[in-house]
């Protein structure tokens, strides 16, 4: 027989896994955190650097791939873009796209 | 201070009860009573302040963070060479720690750590102690004055500033530059690597030359480099010296300054004595001496070895080291310190929750150097954790600017604004 306490634990675990599924990909978050020196915390740039928070995922991926290939000229972004695999670019795109536009 | 006097008194009583453990000679008071899970961060520079903020932010304020910092304000070392050039003042680079407290609930303690007890998980300050579950030591660098005869901390504060930590010495060096007569010699001594901010000394030569070109054009910048060649952005710095400051910057490689004569402002290398009007000796560096309080500097007795998945010390469990003090094939830069701090913060949150940290951290570095009042160039790299080497390894494709530009000069300013916001606001 399942005790009331056990039931609470089971419900608790259920809630946890829901929260986990809805939560951010921490590896992507950690990777994206390095971008904030130039692009602001979570991509909310306050200087002249482009705001990447809320950037459409497709646009982010195309832009990074164009930096990577050299199709789009840059001062620094071509060097950063080459440092990430296509899969990692997708993860970064998803993270920044999930940030709300301010 | 974020706790009331009443809390403080209560903490004092608790402190006496536990204050007599071995290693502590007297009963000391617990400065902030520990209730739940706690991280103590020692050192509020780029690394420590970022770690404090991000542990709060990413743990949804569940983990208590106490930040111990001896200075009242944060002063940015990056871009502080522009104070010498004259495009910024030290006030432009000075920020308050108060937002970390107000917005993120970081508990600030102004003071210096005097001892670390890894077994008791306690740090001592002059007026009491703090208990921790995990400790982050972000001590930056300290200077090995004993490697330069005649130089010590007092001489550096009063007459031969290194100005390699932004603050009073930066202001003193600028003042000496202003007081120097036209036709004078500004001598800049660079230590053997590794040292904080690899391109920094060469940027400084540019900033000093920029000031002299405008105000004292008959003067000279003499660079005495202990290294066999320019350590970072070589072609770009040489181009800047030749094109922007022709005949003004003289570079001498393999010129390690071994001693100084304070009264005559003479720098002594193995080969020659160089008399200067303004003497700026940057001494060799090591991890901040706080690291020695727990014997953390296990690499050449200078730098701290860490596990790059968590920045946990190779010497002690539950003590993490971040920033310039870490022994790594990573540049000792402000951006690197913040990136390491975030990986460390994320790992600590996972470990405290009984989970495994990110097994494949990726971090990036962008470092701008201002070569004139408005032009800059950069070096940029992405670093991946390599599981075989258990180290951070540079990815292909990084590098330096094609050329210096005003556009990058503007970017350097935006970089400063965003990184300071990211660390402190």
């Amino acid at each position: 027989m399942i005790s009331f306490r056990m039931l609470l634990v089971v419900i608790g675990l259920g809630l946890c896994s829901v929260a986990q599924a809805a939560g951010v990909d921490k590896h992507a978050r950690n990777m994206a955190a390095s971008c904030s020196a130039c692009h602001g915390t979570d991509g909310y740039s306050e200087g002249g650097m482009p705001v990447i928070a809320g950037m459409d995922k497709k646009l982010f991926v195309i832009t990074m791939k164009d930096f990577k290939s050299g199709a789009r000229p840059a001062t620094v972004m071509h060097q950063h873009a080459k440092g990430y695999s296509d899969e990692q670019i997708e993860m970064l795109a998803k993270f920044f796209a999930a940030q709300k536009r301010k | 201070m974020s706790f009331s006097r009443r809390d403080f008194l209560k903490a004092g009583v608790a402190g006496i009860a536990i204050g007599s453990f071995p290693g502590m000679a007297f009963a000391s008071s617990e400065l902030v009573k520990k209730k739940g899970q706690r991280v103590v961060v020692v050192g509020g520079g780029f690394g420590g302040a970022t770690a404090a903020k991000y542990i709060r932010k990413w743990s949804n304020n569940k983990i208590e963070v106490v930040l111990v910092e001896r200075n009242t304000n944060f002063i940015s070392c990056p871009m502080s060479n522009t104070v010498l050039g004259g495009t910024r003042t030290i006030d432009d680079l000075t920020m308050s720690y108060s937002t970390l407290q107000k917005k993120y609930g970081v508990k600030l303690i102004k003071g210096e750590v005097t001892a670390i007890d890894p077994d008791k998980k306690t740090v001592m300050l002059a007026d009491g102690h703090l208990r921790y579950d995990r400790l982050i030591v972000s001590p930056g660098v300290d200077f090995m004055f004993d490697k330069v005869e005649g130089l010590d901390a007092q001489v550096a504060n009063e007459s031969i500033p290194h100005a390699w930590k932004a603050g009073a010495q930066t202001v003193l060096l600028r003042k000496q530059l202003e007081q120097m007569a036209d036709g004078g010699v500004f001598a800049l001594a660079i230590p053997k690597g590794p040292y904080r901010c690899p391109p920094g000394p060469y940027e400084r030569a540019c900033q000093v030359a920029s000031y002299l070109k405008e105000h004292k054009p008959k003067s000279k910048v003499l660079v005495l480099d202990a290294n066999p060649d320019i350590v970072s952005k070589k072609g770009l710095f040489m181009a800047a010296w030749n094109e922007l400051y022709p005949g003004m910057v003289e570079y001498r490689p393999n010129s390690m300054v071994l001693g100084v004569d304070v009264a005559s402002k003479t720098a002594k290398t193995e080969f020659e004595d160089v008399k200067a009007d303004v003497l700026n000796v940057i001494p060799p560096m090591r991890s901040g001496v706080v690291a020695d309080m727990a014997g953390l500097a296990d690499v050449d007795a200078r730098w701290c070895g860490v596990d790059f998945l968590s920045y946990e010390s190779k010497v002690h469990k539950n003590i993490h080291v971040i920033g310039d003090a870490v022994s790594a094939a990573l540049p000792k830069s402000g951006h690197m310190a913040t990136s390491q701090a975030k990986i460390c913060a994320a790992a600590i949150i996972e470990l405290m929750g009984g989970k495994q940290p990110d097994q494949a951290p990726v971090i990036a570095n962008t470092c701008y150097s201002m070569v004139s009042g408005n032009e800059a160039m950069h070096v940029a790299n992405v670093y991946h954790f390599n599981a075989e080497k258990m180290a951070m390894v540079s990815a292909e494709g990084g590098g330096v600017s094609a050329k210096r530009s005003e556009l990058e000069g503007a970017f350097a300013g935006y970089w400063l604004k965003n990184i300071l916001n990211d660390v402190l606001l």
Side-chain angles (χ1 to χ4, degrees), chain A residues 26-27 29-31 33-34 36-42 45-49 75-76 79-80 82-84 88, chain B residues 54 57-58 335 339 342 346 350 358 360 363-366 378 384 397 399-400 411 414-415 417-419 421-422:
Chain A
K26 286 174 185 168
H27 173 59
R29 177 202 69 184
N30 296 347
M31 200 157 53
S34 226
S36 56
C38 290
H39 291 284
T41 305
D42 297 330
S45 170
E46 293 185 30
M49 231 70 97
T75 59
V76 63
Q79 290 160 342
H80 281 300
K82 284 175 193 158
Y84 301 94
Q88 287 169 330
Chain B
Y54 272 81
K57 179 175 154 72
W58 284 346
H335 190 175
S339 293
K342 291 167 188 175
E350 296 308 313
D358 186 347
I363 56 177
N365 183 56
T366 308
H378 76 262
H384 294 244
V400 301
F411 283 158
Y414 305 147
W415 174 93
K417 184 174 174 59
N418 275 323
I419 197 169
N421 287 356
D422 190 42

Side-chain angles (χ1 to χ4, degrees), chain B residues 37 52-65 100-107 349:
Chain B
Q37 287 189 310
K53 169 178 161 177
Y54 272 81
I55 288 172
R56 296 291 292 170
K57 179 175 154 72
W58 284 346
S59 76
N60 297 317
N61 300 329
K62 286 200 183 86
I63 298 170
E64 184 192 24
V65 177
L100 288 182
Q101 185 174 319
K102 283 182 220 148
K103 187 170 166 189
Y104 298 97
V106 172
K107 292 171 181 166
I349 295 166

Side-chain angles (χ1 to χ4, degrees), chain B residues 211-226:
Chain B
Y211 167 82
L212 294 175
K213 184 182 175 182
E214 191 178 342
H215 300 280
K216 289 153 192 173
K218 285 181 257 171
S219 309
K220 201 165 126 178
V221 182
L222 178 59
V223 182
L224 302 169
D225 194 343

